[in-house]
Each structure stands twice: as C-alpha cells, then as structure tokens.
Amino acid sequence: MTDITDDFKSKTALKNEAKDVHAFGRILVGLTDKQISQIELPENVYEAIKELKKLKKNSAQKRQSLYLAKLLRAIDLSGAQRFVDQLKFESQTEIKKFHKVEDWRDKLVADVSNLTDFINLSPGIDIQKLRKLILNSQKEIKKGSSRKFQKELFQFIKETL
C-alpha cells in the first residue's frame, strides 16, 4: 500500500515554487540574446522571452512574464539554472579581480614602497613603465587634474595580474 502523503505538497510550497520559477524567468529576460541562445530551451520559451523583452507597458509585461513562468514550470530548468549560476560565478570573479586591481593601484599611488611587493607578485613586468605611471598618477592627484595616468596605471596592473 502506498502512502498518499509522500507525493503531497502543501499549497504554500507550490506557491513558493511558482514564485521561484517566475523570478528565474525574470533573470532569463535580463540576459542578452547571445546568452539566452546558449541555454537549451524549447522554442516557445525563446519566443515568450523575446516577446517579454519587447513589451513596454507594465500590465502587458506582467501577463507575459506569468505566461513565461507557466511555460518554464512545464520543463526541466536544471541546465538553465546551472548556466545562470555559472554566469553569476564568472561575474563575481570579475568583480573580485577588479577590486584587487583597484586596491593595488591605490596602494602603489599612496606609497611607492609597495612597488617591491607588486614586483614580487608578478615578476617580468616593465618596472620602468610602472614607476613612470605611478609618478605621473601621483602628480595628477596633487594637481587635481584629469585621471589619464591613473586609468593607464589601472590598465597596466589589470593586464599584469
């Protein structure tokens, strides 16, 4: 005899699942067309996403997004979820790298003694060019002029790391 309660889901659990799928549909709409094409989805889902991106009125967007959620509930989203998670991970990695480059730029401009640590971190760099960029950045900061050399220093550090 099978137990009926094994397959039972509460109404609240079903609503929460529906909300999660709806939110995932909104994430899919936020992706670029190239990214969406990399996800394996049925053609009607692609069309619903394209249509939702075109709509400008809030009420129409809401209806279309609910329709998209309905279509998404009918399919397996595990592959699409993995793809979106991978995109988030890559984005977070890029942000961390960006912050690391900013920190090094600020350290080098604030105190040239940090130059040795940076050189040890990445041997084989053009030390003369790095020193020149640091000095020019420091001069820019003192003058309060444009940030041309600070941007060049940022790019140099970004390419080095």
Side-chain angles (χ1 to χ4, degrees):
M1 186 168 169
T2 59
D3 192 6
I4 298 174
T5 59
D6 288 344
D7 296 331
F8 178 74
K9 285 189 178 180
S10 69
K11 192 173 181 180
T12 305
L14 292 173
K15 285 181 180 181
N16 287 336
E17 285 178 14
K19 286 179 184 177
D20 292 343
V21 171
H22 187 257
F24 185 72
R26 284 297 199 176
I27 291 171
L28 289 177
V29 171
L31 299 176
T32 64
D33 291 337
K34 182 180 177 185
Q35 291 170 332
I36 292 171
S37 66
Q38 294 174 348
I39 303 173
E40 195 171 315
L41 295 170
E43 190 61 35
N44 60 349
V45 174
Y46 286 125
E47 294 301 320
I49 291 171
K50 286 179 188 176
E51 186 65 30
L52 182 54
K53 284 184 172 192
K54 288 180 197 175
L55 297 175
K56 302 295 179 209
K57 302 234 184 226
N58 271 345
S59 58
Q61 284 178 338
K62 185 175 180 180
R63 278 192 305 275
Q64 185 65 20
S65 101
L66 290 172
Y67 173 68
L68 174 62
K70 176 185 173 186
L71 294 177
L72 291 175
R73 281 192 303 272
I75 62 174
D76 180 29
L77 294 174
S78 59
Q81 185 65 47
R82 279 193 303 274
F83 181 79
V84 170
D85 290 343
Q86 179 65 29
L87 285 177
K88 285 181 184 176
F89 176 75
E90 290 171 1
S91 175
Q92 290 172 346
T93 305
E94 287 297 315
I95 290 170
K96 286 179 183 176
K97 183 178 178 182
F98 184 84
H99 288 304
K100 185 177 179 181
V101 171
E102 279 184 329
D103 290 341
W104 271 111
R105 181 196 62 199
D106 295 341
K107 283 182 191 177
L108 291 171
V109 169
D111 190 8
V112 183
S113 63
N114 293 320
L115 184 62
T116 309
D117 295 335
F118 186 75
I119 292 170
N120 291 336
L121 184 67
S122 52
I125 63 170
D126 187 1
I127 299 170
Q128 293 292 349
K129 183 176 181 181
L130 180 60
R131 285 180 193 261
K132 183 180 177 184
L133 288 171
I134 292 170
L135 290 173
N136 287 336
S137 295
Q138 289 171 337
K139 289 177 186 175
E140 270 182 352
I141 291 172
K142 286 178 185 173
K143 287 183 183 178
S145 62
S146 68
R147 301 173 48 96
K148 176 185 172 192
F149 291 109
Q150 293 177 56
K151 290 176 184 176
E152 285 183 33
L153 177 62
F154 181 86
Q155 287 300 322
F156 184 80
I157 294 170
K158 184 178 174 184
E159 292 168 4
T160 303
L161 293 178

